[in-house]
Amino acid sequence: MHKHLPITVLTVLFICVLAAAPHAVSAQEQEAQKAVLVTGASSGIGRKITEVLAANGHFVYAGARKDKDLAELNKMDNVEAVRLDVTVQDDIDAAVARITEAGRGLHGVVNNAGVGVFSPMNETPEADIDFVFDVNIYGPYRINKAFTPLLAENKGRTTTIGSIAGFISGRRSGTYSMSKFAIEAYTDALAAELAESGVLVSVIEPGGFKSKIREKVVLHAMGKTLDQAGDLTAEEQEQLNKMKERNESLKEPDEVAEAALHALFAEKPKPRYMVAPDAEEAEATIRAALTRVAQLNADQPYSYTLEQLNNMLAELVAEQ
Ligand SMILES: NC(=O)c1ccc[n+]([C@@H]2O[C@H](COP(=O)([O-])OP(=O)(O)OC[C@H]3O[C@@H](n4cnc5c(N)ncnc54)[C@H](OP(=O)(O)O)[C@@H]3O)[C@@H](O)[C@H]2O)c1
């Protein structure tokens, strides 16, 4: 256990993680009726963020793709549904035009839309990698590129729903993790580039929370979508039911929505918000990040001693 780093390093880190205040935002920090665009607002985390923003008095442009979802979202107070597939440039251009014409400006963007596949790398068709990257990587890239001028007018915020899969990768999760690792690099680059404009950039890294994503992953492997879920063999239905059961055992993504509120409205948003549902997922993520540090450092001409690493980490922890 803790083979590569001394206990003190981990103690400092975990004390900081545990002592961190929840992502509470004071009333003053949340100016009412600031407008925020949320992509993928039809279900799961995006829907929850939409509900929480709207309930807090903000105005939400809620992105969705299907008529029934757009109609549902339009029923909510403080919400205007926007037809928005993040892989379709015409949709994005129309959304920019509509939000610009509405005249209330844009304070924030939550790049939430996301998809996954679950298969071994060597058995994953290139089309599946394209499918995931198109939504999870190119989606935020296209959306931020299109909306940065509006955000810059308000010195606004943009945040992306990354994942602890942006730090952890393993059997069958490669494609999804590749997309979420990419979001880490993308976020750091964009944050540095937009700093001068006053637009603040962050990434939220949830662990496992209740949503539709797992059902969709299972159906995708069967060549089906959620709308075709009535059309399954008994074996497929059993597989789907198992996944639904697992999903039901997960927490509602309230803490993810809290982190989004903080990223959008706190005076000093954090660059990264890890939102693990429990201590095990938090530890797995921190351990995966530290494992890379230990592996990078091991057995090379410029390796640091454990004491030097410990001091370096203590400094970095103090800076957060
Ligand atoms: N739930 C978790 O445990 C978890 C953990 C870490 C990270 N995340 C991330 O959280 C985000 C939200 O996922 P979720 O778990 O809430 O899953 P979800 O319930 O399946 O929601 C995904 C949302 O993205 C939308 N979407 C998919 N493709 C799109 C496209 N091309 N253009 C626009 N919207 C699109 C979906 O719309 P449709 O209904 O039209 O398909 C849906 O609204 C994703 O980025 C996911 O990777 C989730």
Side-chain angles (χ1 to χ4, degrees):
M1 221 180 142
H2 310 322
K3 231 168 33 196
H4 302 290
L5 290 170
I7 295 289
T8 39
V9 174
L10 290 156
T11 310
V12 171
L13 191 63
F14 281 117
I15 286 170
C16 281
V17 169
L18 294 173
H23 312 303
V25 181
S26 71
Q28 293 88 334
E29 285 174 323
Q30 296 190 45
E31 287 168 48
Q33 284 304 91
K34 283 199 165 180
V36 176
L37 169 69
V38 180
T39 67
S42 66
S43 65
I45 290 174
R47 169 79 190 205
K48 180 69 78 179
I49 291 173
T50 299
E51 288 168 1
V52 168
L53 285 170
N56 277 270
H58 302 292
F59 190 87
V60 186
Y61 293 108
R65 299 190 291 175
K66 298 185 279 295
D67 289 342
K68 72 171 173 35
D69 294 328
L70 292 161
E72 276 298 311
L73 289 162
N74 269 330
K75 284 186 201 155
M76 294 166 63
D77 286 342
N78 291 335
V79 174
E80 180 180 327
V82 177
R83 189 178 298 280
L84 186 54
D85 185 320
V86 300
T87 68
V88 176
Q89 191 60 44
D90 283 352
D91 277 12
I92 297 172
D93 294 343
V96 170
R98 182 158 163 187
I99 292 172
T100 305
E101 279 158 25
R104 57 167 71 78
L106 189 68
H107 167 78
V109 167
V110 181
N111 285 293
N112 165 77
V115 293
V117 299
F118 195 61
S119 54
M121 282 317 319
N122 285 347
E123 290 164 32
T124 303
E126 214 170 301
D128 275 5
I129 297 177
D130 288 344
F131 164 65
V132 173
F133 283 20
D134 203 8
V135 181
N136 295 8
I137 305 175
Y138 289 103
Y141 155 77
R142 293 187 191 102
I143 292 287
N144 285 330
K145 193 170 167 187
F147 286 96
T148 290
L150 271 171
L151 291 176
E153 281 174 20
N154 290 302
K155 297 201 185 306
R157 312 282 171 91
T158 179
T159 190
T160 301
I161 309 300
S163 174
I164 60 170
F167 297 85
I168 301 170
S169 185
R171 285 168 191 269
R172 303 175 80 87
S173 76
T175 302
Y176 182 69
S177 291
M178 280 155 73
S179 76
K180 294 300 185 181
F181 270 68
I183 285 303
E184 298 303 316
Y186 168 73
T187 300
D188 288 343
L190 192 73
E193 289 157 6
L194 295 190
E196 224 170 83
S197 72
V199 176
L200 301 180
V201 182
S202 61
V203 54
I204 297 171
E205 336 277 11
F209 286 91
K210 198 179 284 183
S211 80
K212 295 272 183 217
I213 200 164
R214 293 167 193 82
E215 280 172 61
K216 289 180 195 165
V217 167
V218 168
L219 286 163
H220 180 87
M222 300 168 186
K224 303 230 161 63
T225 66
L226 214 51
D227 295 334
Q228 298 159 331
D231 193 19
L232 303 179
T233 64
E235 198 187 320
E236 287 174 338
Q237 190 60 54
E238 197 189 325
Q239 230 184 312
L240 185 63
N241 290 346
K242 269 195 195 146
M243 190 50 93
K244 279 185 177 171
E245 252 173 57
R246 174 165 146 53
N247 185 58
E248 280 309 308
S249 71
L250 300 175
K251 278 185 181 174
E252 285 288 337
D254 298 278
E255 293 146 61
V256 185
E258 243 177 71
L261 262 187
H262 196 277
L264 291 165
F265 299 107
E267 199 181 325
K268 282 196 181 152
K270 300 189 340 172
R272 282 188 168 74
Y273 294 81
M274 178 167 72
V275 190
D278 54 39
E280 286 88 82
E281 288 194 27
E283 180 180 345
T285 311
I286 299 293
R287 193 175 280 275
L290 290 177
T291 299
R292 283 200 176 76
V293 173
Q295 289 170 344
L296 278 174
N297 187 60
D299 203 18
Q300 46 96 12
Y302 312 105
S303 289
Y304 291 99
T305 63
L306 285 180
E307 192 188 356
Q308 286 169 325
L309 277 179
N310 193 18
N311 290 339
M312 201 186 286
L313 188 55
E315 262 172 45
L316 293 170
V317 165
E319 275 172 23
Q320 303 309 308

